[in-house]
Amino acid sequence: MSKKIIKGSSTPFRGEITPPGDKSISHRSLILGSLANGHSVVKDFLISDDTLSTANAMRALGITIGINGTQVDITGKGLYGLSEPEKVIDCGNSGTTTRLLTGLLSAQTFTSILDGDKYLQARPMRRVVGPLSLMGAQIEGKEDGNKLPLTITGKKLKGIRYELPVASAQVKSAILLAGLYADGETEVIEPEPSRDHTERMLSYLGVAIQKNGNSIKINKTQEINPGEIIVPADISSAAFFIVAALITPGSEVLIKNVGISPLRTGIIDILQNMGGDIEIINQREVNKEPIGDILTRSSDLHGTEISGELIPKAIDELPIAAVAACFAEGETRIRDAKELRVKETDRIKAMATELGKLGARVLEFEDGMSIHGSRSLTGAVCSSWGDHRIAMSIAIAGTRAKGETQILDAECVSVSYPGFFKIIDELRQ
Ligand code: S3P
């Protein structure tokens, strides 16, 4: 499936779907389940390349993990039960696996080496290596510790108070995981709040964690309880079909059981600001995570400004927000989003280039882009840049473009949403 062809059409998107489990929560369920004292069950787990990277990493650290359909059984060995991996741990394409494990492995009594694919090898790791080193970690890597492979020699750590320069749930989580082992108190202060699944899951599994404004504190911990974790459907995956429904006249799509933590629903705020008809119904909670069903109907969209606190709340959905902007009246500006340049690829350059090939009017800024909506795109041969969210965003744009859009290297969708292309066909019958 390296090349995917999408046929543009006016066929509406109609029906009901439940996207696969949340990627962030799935990663965390494996890591915290491995550190718990005893057997945890994870239901509706996301089976994808990224989460399997974490599963294989935890197996390499001596944990037994059984995967049966979307149920995962983890035999946790406690906080001090991990063992030295025999080989280099391959984190594949997954930044979350790499950064969270860098925190965890910094505090062990053995040495581990983390590596990944060429995209991950290009991503910055100093953002975790820096604060972990302040805690006493010993981490070596290419470019003076900034790039993979990283060699992590476990050390006795001490708690720190650390102000994050940029909102990042991965960096925050790496420090909190190290903080479980560090002497004294560890405090992380965020410039803007980022997704808090680590904090919610730690608390659900009985770990004392204090949140006060933008500060999160954790202390050295003796025990994590095992538990049953039900993974909500991933709002980042839902976002593609929310936008598909909004930009295709006559559409109505119900997306069920979606995780709607307020730190993840920035894309709903953005699309509602653009005039999108989106309702969240049937709100409830599973294992301290809010979930709900999202009902979307096609709408006349208009341009908007996307910046500030909205950015971390919608960071992974900005590529698909740019697609929505192509079908909105007037200009949409994305600012304060420089982080997009260090994701799986440079997502500002990737979206500006690929949407440009489809005939969109996009202007690139160092920290974002501006899009002049035209409501008309024309099919072209596009690249995924090896990035799952670019592939899926261009695919949704392609469903509304005139003629045919080819997406090269489309197999990368399996990083987060292996069944993605099938759902397009199912909803457009
Ligand atoms: C994630 C945090 C975000 C996000 C990534 C998943 C997580 O990255 O982009 O897809 O699970 O913690 P940053 O922490 O780099 O912002």
Side-chain angles (χ1 to χ4, degrees):
M1 201 242 294
S2 72
K3 177 168 87 182
K4 188 76 198 170
I5 294 176
I6 302 285
K7 290 199 165 63
S9 91
S10 53
T11 312
F13 285 78
R14 296 187 72 85
E16 220 178 89
I17 55 168
T18 304
D22 186 274
K23 185 153 80 65
S24 295
I25 297 175
S26 295
H27 281 298
R28 287 155 171 81
S29 70
L30 289 169
I31 295 173
L32 296 183
S34 297
L35 302 179
N37 284 65
H39 178 221
S40 291
V41 183
V42 186
K43 295 187 172 153
D44 301 329
F45 179 83
L46 167 67
I47 306 287
S48 74
D49 294 352
D50 255 24
T51 50
L52 292 178
S53 291
T54 296
N56 289 331
M58 299 320 297
R59 285 174 172 146
L61 293 162
I63 303 297
T64 302
I65 295 174
I67 303 182
N68 198 341
T70 57
Q71 177 168 320
V72 178
D73 287 89
I74 308 166
T75 311
K77 286 188 170 178
L79 277 158
Y80 295 91
L82 302 179
S83 47
E84 184 166 270
E86 280 173 22
K87 293 188 272 195
V88 172
I89 294 177
D90 180 5
C91 300
N93 188 249
S94 176
T96 307
T97 309
T98 312
R99 297 201 176 113
L100 269 57
L101 288 189
T102 301
L104 174 64
L105 295 172
S106 291
Q108 305 305 313
T109 52
F110 51 78
T111 298
S112 324
I113 304 173
L114 301 181
D115 204 354
D117 70 11
K118 65 176 181 192
Y119 302 101
L120 193 58
Q121 284 176 345
R123 298 184 66 187
M125 296 299 153
R126 186 162 292 127
R127 50 183 61 202
V128 280
V129 172
L132 292 169
S133 301
L134 295 174
M135 297 176 82
Q138 185 185 328
I139 307 169
E140 268 108 46
K142 279 180 121 177
E143 288 185 18
D144 197 22
N146 192 33
K147 297 279 168 72
L148 292 182
L150 294 181
T151 301
I152 304 157
T153 309
K155 291 281 171 203
K156 203 166 164 31
L157 304 181
K158 57 178 187 304
I160 54 165
R161 177 177 194 274
Y162 188 74
E163 285 189 35
L164 290 180
V166 179
S168 163
Q170 292 178 354
V171 179
K172 170 177 63 176
S173 301
I175 299 170
L176 293 176
L177 287 171
L180 289 168
Y181 297 85
D183 284 334
E185 183 180 83
T186 298
E187 180 177 10
V188 185
I189 298 140
E190 306 190 89
E192 289 112 24
S194 68
R195 66 189 70 189
D196 58 357
H197 306 302
T198 303
E199 298 92 301
R200 286 175 187 266
M201 199 180 290
L202 279 168
S203 163
Y204 174 67
L205 299 177
V207 175
I209 181 155
Q210 298 125 50
K211 196 169 171 148
N212 195 349
N214 284 4
S215 145
I216 305 119
K217 286 182 185 167
I218 198 164
N219 278 287
K220 186 169 180 150
T221 298
Q222 288 313 318
E223 215 170 279
I224 299 183
N225 298 330
E228 182 186 75
I229 295 167
I230 298 168
V231 183
D234 199 326
I235 191 163
S236 298
S237 298
F240 298 107
F241 295 104
I242 296 174
V243 171
L246 287 175
I247 65 175
T248 313
S251 297
E252 182 170 316
V253 174
L254 180 66
I255 311 183
K256 297 185 77 173
N257 301 343
V258 183
I260 47 164
S261 149
L263 297 176
R264 293 289 299 281
T265 46
I267 184 65
I268 310 259
D269 302 337
I270 291 166
L271 295 169
Q272 284 176 336
N273 290 345
M274 295 174 82
D277 179 355
I278 305 171
E279 260 178 85
I280 302 184
I281 54 180
N282 195 15
Q283 295 194 30
R284 55 223 189 265
E285 203 176 271
V286 286
N287 35 260
K288 294 209 176 191
E289 288 283 353
I291 65 171
D293 302 338
I294 301 175
L295 180 63
T296 308
R297 299 186 189 91
S298 49
S299 307
D300 283 331
L301 300 180
H302 51 79
T304 190
E305 160 98 15
I306 307 170
S307 60
E309 286 215 349
L310 261 179
I311 298 297
K313 292 180 187 159
I315 189 72
D316 292 340
E317 292 69 67
L318 295 174
I320 191 64
V323 173
C326 292
F327 292 90
E329 168 117 35
E331 187 191 1
T332 295
R333 270 175 177 257
I334 303 176
R335 300 308 306 239
D336 307 325
K338 205 164 162 218
E339 274 295 291
L340 285 182
R341 295 209 181 266
V342 290
K343 292 294 174 187
E344 284 80 331
T345 190
D346 177 342
R347 287 182 173 164
I348 295 175
K349 191 173 247 8
M351 286 309 291
T353 306
E354 301 310 313
L355 287 176
K357 287 181 191 167
L358 298 173
R361 288 165 60 206
V362 185
L363 185 68
E364 200 182 316
F365 312 126
E366 188 47 33
D367 69 343
M369 59 190 118
S370 112
I371 301 130
H372 284 268
S374 64
R375 295 196 168 142
S376 121
L377 299 179
T378 306
V381 178
C382 292
S383 165
S384 71
W385 296 51
D387 181 327
H388 54 134
R389 298 204 200 281
I390 302 298
M392 293 187 275
S393 299
I394 297 301
I396 297 300
T399 65
R400 298 292 295 127
K402 280 189 212 83
E404 208 174 85
T405 296
Q406 288 187 31
I407 301 161
L408 307 179
D409 299 322
E411 72 283 348
C412 57
V413 302
S414 63
V415 158
S416 65
Y417 201 163
F420 170 79
F421 289 112
K422 234 176 48 210
I423 306 293
I424 295 185
D425 296 336
E426 282 172 20
L427 288 176
R428 279 212 304 185
Q429 270 172 23

